[in-house]
Amino acid sequence: MNKINNPILPGFNPDPSIVRVEDTYYIANSTFQWFPGVQIHKSKDLANWELVTRPLESTKLLDMKGIPDHGGIWAPCLSYSDGRFWLIYTNVHSLRGIYKDTPNYLTTAESIEGPWSDPVYINSSGFDPSLFHDDDGKKYFINMIWDHRPWKKNSFYGIVMQEYSTGEQKLIGTPELIFKGSDHRLVEGPHLYKKDGFYYLFCAEGGTSYDHCETVARSRNINGPYEIHPQNPLITARDYPDSILQKTGHGDIVQTPGGEWYFVHLTGRPSLCGGFCVLGRETAIEKIDWPMAEWPRIATGGNEPALSVPLPKGSQDLQKTLPPEESYSFNAPRLAQPFQTLRVPQKGNMSLSARPGYLRMYGKESLSSLINQSLVGLRVDHPVFTASTVLEFDPWSFQQSAGLSAYYDTSSYYYLHMSFDEERKRVLHLQTCRHKQFEYPVYNINIPDSGAIHLKVEIDAGELQFFWSLQGKDWNPAGPRLKTDVISDDFEQDLRFTGAFCALCCQDLAGTNHPADFEGMSIKRG
């Protein structure tokens, strides 16, 4: 029997929300500080997925300038009703300390490719919002509510629901607290469904790390009270330390045209990268058994995540694997879809028309900036991953740099870059940033005063190595082998959500916008 192998969306693709429209499935994922916001894939068989759009592609829909690392887009909800797609999302403005500033918005479109409507502000009481379309035509907005009072010991106060008026484009009535969660605590990620006369509430609990799980509760009345699944949680990996799929929870369900049920959820695979989730939180899928008027259960029995699940009935497609090699040229009028920038659109920071066949990046602020970086990256989606590029750059100040980064966030990255030295002119430096502590394991590598330089980083599970070359054939190591824990979700005890990227960067700390030209980017897997 053909099967679906997990994860279905490898690399940084957390907090999946799934919907089916006729014979096509769509998954929306969180993108945090990466722009454009919300990553949406489509599939015909639940096994093979294609990146189709990132709808929040204007600052009118998403303004993230200055937001902290791991702020921005948290846990979007994609649904379909009344001939339209409905996208609910949070743009998290702050998340450190006792407060979280979490404005929630709604945008709609008749086509998944857009155009998407101007955003409608909904509320700011918490995050992980979703929209439920009841069969009587009413719509309900649901989110977790954040409690900043430290003496309460649990900031995850519960799940709140309020009716949404499409005519007035606002919430109406009063918010109702419908669920306080279970003993697993930290209730978030709510999705509401109606089946066989019951309202089913699916929520993530336990925190989005190794205690993560998915809780299910139900009620005959939409306002509750909600009874918790007698075999709760629906899924978790915390009791299965040897499972490849860890951190399982925070998901959404979908029914196939043939009546089968599937549950998509986030997961992480630390065992692939020396015990650290370098690939970030990914999307996996489980088949659900859900007899009429009974509780849903994982089809394999128990609540351990499965590495593979059956394809939907009637589907004969084989699941494709990621291609071993991909090359991205810069000949098109727009960057290829897999690329994303940090916080702000690429316009003004880079150009594909200034020099045909090249991406011209104008030097902006440092890799510590939350305002305006000239950086564009690709997700690391395989534990053995190589990225390379060709750089042409003529710096005249030590404040000017351009190069290739293995990037996680402003406090965690490695960066091989060309810069200027008063005695040597053009040089290469390797910079490391760990817990915002900066070091240069190697600096002032002599290179010719002109001409292109090839740069490469090879990630091999728990370690990585940078290289440089004049012709792209004989590669010279740039510095020592480095640990990949720095670019993983698990490096620090703080909130880290995004997974690793390989990124092209250009800085000009003097503010003269001095440019660098990149001739393509190539990746290899395995």
Side-chain angles (χ1 to χ4, degrees):
M1 178 187 297
N2 293 334
K3 291 182 178 289
I4 306 172
N5 295 312
N6 277 320
I8 54 173
L9 296 177
F12 163 47
N13 286 286
D15 310 325
S17 171
I18 190 169
V19 66
R20 177 177 62 83
V21 180
E22 297 179 347
D23 65 346
T24 304
Y25 303 91
Y26 300 92
I27 287 180
N29 294 99
S30 301
T31 44
F32 296 91
Q33 68 265 35
W34 291 92
F35 192 92
V38 181
Q39 181 145 289
I40 298 180
H41 289 80
K42 70 177 182 179
S43 173
K44 295 289 188 180
D45 57 11
L46 295 175
N48 297 291
W49 295 86
E50 172 192 355
L51 178 60
V52 58
T53 188
R54 295 192 189 97
L56 307 183
E57 59 181 0
S58 70
T59 53
K60 179 182 288 188
L61 282 163
L62 180 60
D63 184 357
M64 294 194 294
K65 182 174 285 189
I67 64 120
D69 291 332
H70 313 290
I73 296 298
W74 285 18
C77 175
L78 182 66
S79 60
Y80 187 84
S81 180
D82 309 322
R84 304 183 69 81
F85 289 95
W86 302 70
L87 180 63
I88 303 287
Y89 60 98
T90 310
N91 182 10
V92 177
H93 290 170
S94 65
L95 63 150
R96 309 297 177 188
I98 64 172
Y99 296 107
K100 285 182 172 48
D101 294 295
T102 57
N104 296 309
Y105 299 93
L106 164 67
T107 181
T108 67
E110 294 182 2
S111 167
I112 198 70
E113 288 88 3
W116 291 83
S117 66
D118 288 350
V120 175
Y121 171 76
I122 304 296
N123 69 9
S124 298
S125 61
F127 49 86
D128 292 1
S130 65
L131 190 66
F132 172 62
H133 310 271
D134 208 346
D135 52 17
D136 62 1
K138 291 185 177 180
K139 300 185 188 299
Y140 296 90
F141 189 85
I142 310 158
N143 61 272
M144 69 80 65
I145 190 166
W146 182 257
D147 188 345
H148 65 272
R149 299 170 296 178
W151 59 89
K152 289 295 184 178
K153 306 300 183 185
N154 184 7
S155 297
F156 293 71
Y157 187 78
I159 304 303
V160 67
M161 181 183 72
Q162 193 169 356
E163 187 176 350
Y164 176 75
S165 168
T166 57
E168 299 176 74
Q169 291 192 317
K170 68 176 185 179
L171 300 177
I172 58 175
T174 58
E176 299 255 358
L177 185 68
I178 62 171
F179 189 56
K180 289 287 286 182
S182 76
D183 292 340
H184 301 297
R185 295 169 58 85
L186 309 181
V187 62
E188 57 184 337
H191 291 286
L192 191 62
Y193 317 92
K194 191 173 186 180
K195 181 180 183 293
D196 306 327
F198 285 96
Y199 291 93
Y200 285 85
L201 181 63
F202 282 56
C203 297
E205 289 195 287
T208 185
S209 189
Y210 292 95
D211 288 332
H212 208 198
C213 64
E214 186 77 7
T215 285
V216 178
R218 73 180 184 183
S219 174
R220 291 284 187 183
N221 189 313
I222 193 169
N223 295 309
Y226 280 84
E227 173 193 5
I228 296 173
H229 196 310
Q231 295 177 318
N232 199 52
L234 177 73
I235 192 171
T236 186
R238 69 179 177 210
D239 299 321
Y240 309 101
D242 295 330
S243 175
I244 291 178
L245 303 180
Q246 291 293 317
K247 303 183 177 182
T248 52
H250 197 129
D252 196 4
I253 59 172
V254 71
Q255 189 175 29
T256 70
E260 299 172 276
W261 290 94
Y262 285 83
F263 173 68
V264 294
H265 60 90
L266 74 75
T267 190
R269 295 181 290 167
S271 63
L272 272 61
C273 297
F276 295 89
C277 291
V278 175
L279 307 184
R281 298 173 305 152
E282 308 170 284
T283 291
I285 192 168
E286 309 292 333
K287 195 171 189 301
I288 298 291
D289 285 339
W290 203 350
M292 181 173 289
E294 294 188 18
W295 291 96
R297 293 179 176 85
I298 301 296
T300 54
N303 57 12
E304 181 179 5
L307 272 176
S308 62
V309 300
L311 279 163
K313 294 175 183 176
S315 179
Q316 301 299 321
D317 293 339
L318 294 175
Q319 187 176 16
K320 299 180 179 69
T321 58
L322 293 170
E325 297 185 15
E326 290 185 273
S327 293
Y328 298 97
S329 67
F330 295 134
N331 291 310
R334 298 187 64 176
L335 285 172
Q337 266 196 326
F339 286 100
Q340 282 186 280
T341 57
L342 273 175
R343 294 179 179 82
V344 296
Q346 68 183 65
K347 185 178 180 181
N349 288 355
M350 55 197 75
S351 171
L352 287 163
S353 60
R355 183 183 178 189
Y358 291 79
L359 175 64
R360 175 158 291 176
M361 301 184 70
Y362 297 97
K364 298 297 180 181
E365 297 179 341
S366 74
L367 290 182
S368 297
S369 174
L370 304 178
I371 304 296
N372 191 18
Q373 290 195 40
S374 185
L375 181 151
V376 61
L378 294 170
R379 285 162 173 74
V380 176
D381 56 15
H382 193 282
V384 180
F385 189 93
T386 297
S388 60
T389 189
V390 183
L391 169 64
E392 294 188 25
F393 187 44
D394 187 23
W396 47 263
S397 166
F398 66 87
Q399 292 185 308
Q400 296 163 347
S401 303
L404 177 65
S405 176
Y407 185 88
Y408 189 87
D409 63 14
T410 62
S411 68
S412 306
Y413 58 83
Y414 299 123
Y415 186 27
L416 178 62
H417 55 279
M418 186 191 301
S419 190
F420 177 84
D421 178 79
E422 294 87 343
E423 297 178 1
R424 297 173 177 83
K425 295 189 177 180
R426 295 201 319 172
V427 291
L428 291 177
H429 304 317
L430 176 62
Q431 182 188 58
T432 68
C433 179
R434 301 168 59 94
H435 298 294
K436 295 189 176 180
Q437 299 300 309
F438 299 92
E439 295 182 359
Y440 287 83
V442 63
Y443 55 91
N444 285 344
I445 299 174
N446 287 312
I447 58 174
D449 290 343
S450 62
I453 298 293
H454 297 249
L455 305 177
K456 179 172 70 170
V457 59
E458 293 182 352
I459 297 172
D460 187 3
E463 294 186 320
L464 63 80
Q465 175 73 61
F466 282 94
F467 298 88
W468 67 276
S469 171
L470 296 180
Q471 303 296 330
K473 296 178 181 178
D474 298 322
W475 290 94
N476 306 289
R481 294 183 67 82
L482 302 166
K483 297 291 186 181
T484 57
D485 59 352
V486 172
I487 55 171
S488 77
D489 286 351
D490 311 297
F491 180 56
E492 297 175 336
Q493 296 302 312
D494 213 343
L495 301 173
R496 292 166 65 92
F497 299 140
T498 61
F501 279 69
C502 286
L504 310 179
C505 320
C506 186
Q507 296 82 34
D508 186 344
L509 307 185
T512 65
N513 299 325
H514 191 64
D517 290 342
F518 292 87
E519 187 182 7
M521 189 173 185
S522 298
I523 62 173
K524 294 182 180 180
R525 303 179 177 96

